[in-house]
Amino acid sequence: ADMAMYTAKQAGRDRAELFDASMREMAMTRLSIESELRTAIRDGELVVYYQPVVDLETREIVAFEALVRWQHPQRGLLLPDEFIPISEDANLVIPLGAIVLQEACKFLVERPHYTGRVFVNVSTRQIGTADLSRVVRNALATTGASASQLGLEITESGMLMATAAARADLKALVDMGIELILDDFGTGYSSLSSVLQNPVAGLKLAREFTLRLGDKGTGDRISTAVAALTRSLDMFGIIEGIETEAQ
């Protein structure tokens, strides 16, 4: 009954689900991954890759985005979709996030000639009661990295649903000189209040819109509108997943 209830919640609530054997298998798989992930965090199996952020006018690399991967001893390199949701449910995203922040700061220190930023994705569970500003401050202090070279990407829902503790945490980060980016803009609540009420430095348009660029329709109109919004608010815009000259 508990597994059926969990499945109903995962599928959007307000529905009924009947238990079947596949639910048990799914639950056991999740438990197995959760146990292995705890070991991975402890044994250093998580690795960080860096995706370049390019200025479209100059074609120069101006920043990097830190992307976590799991180098699983049996299954090879695992992408975030295979373990991040489970890490959030198991409250492992906090130690996992701390590792990524530490690695991003090391990346900056090991490249003294590099003057751009590194953006790190942050879960809403890391903000507020988990004291993200303290974790960031510790990563900067232990590595010697500069706060001015660090950016944090936070989802729309994380900004919009921020508690008083979370807002205080975000303010502390900005006061340190860290830029906050609204991630996957246009895919969540799309509330402009999340932009105007929080110290946001930039907007990141989700890849769903990138794939529709050049359609001479909704895709082009939305990207143009978001570009106009970022300019009018004196922010910078990042568009995710550009792969072709046309895009």
Side-chain angles (χ1 to χ4, degrees), residues 9-170:
K9 286 182 176 181
Q10 289 293 97
R13 301 173 182 268
D14 193 25
R15 59 190 290 129
E17 289 287 346
L18 182 66
F19 171 82
D20 63 44
S22 67
M23 291 183 189
R24 182 186 301 279
E25 187 177 335
M26 190 184 306
M28 296 306 293
T29 299
R30 288 179 66 88
L31 280 173
S32 175
I33 293 175
E34 180 183 328
S35 175
E36 290 179 346
L37 188 54
R38 291 182 189 277
T39 301
I41 291 171
R42 185 193 67 209
D43 293 350
E45 294 174 7
L46 298 173
V47 293
V48 180
Y49 282 60
Y50 296 90
Q51 177 172 276
V53 179
V54 177
D55 185 312
L56 290 180
E57 291 184 352
T58 66
R59 303 299 175 100
E60 293 178 352
I61 294 174
V62 292
F64 288 95
E65 180 181 1
L67 303 171
V68 67
R69 303 286 186 261
W70 179 2
Q71 189 63 60
H72 194 283
Q74 280 83 43
R75 298 168 61 197
L77 194 67
L78 303 182
L79 299 178
D81 287 351
E82 299 180 74
F83 62 91
I84 291 295
I86 293 174
S87 78
E88 295 209 333
D89 289 343
N91 214 28
L92 292 174
V93 75
I94 295 171
L96 187 154
I99 290 172
V100 178
L101 280 165
Q102 191 82 13
E103 289 300 313
C105 288
K106 285 181 184 175
F107 175 89
L108 289 168
V109 172
E110 290 168 358
R111 293 161 179 80
H113 61 282
Y114 173 65
T115 57
R117 290 181 186 269
V118 170
F119 295 117
V120 178
N121 288 282
V122 171
S123 165
T124 53
R125 292 176 184 262
Q126 293 173 261
I127 307 167
T129 52
D131 203 358
L132 178 62
S133 55
R134 178 189 57 79
V135 175
V136 170
R137 198 175 287 113
N138 180 63
L140 294 172
T142 55
T143 60
S146 169
S148 64
Q149 284 188 276
L150 194 61
L152 301 179
E153 297 186 7
I154 303 169
T155 60
E156 280 183 76
S157 56
M159 287 285 195
L160 189 64
M161 297 161 57
T163 61
R167 285 193 293 270
D169 209 9
L170 293 175

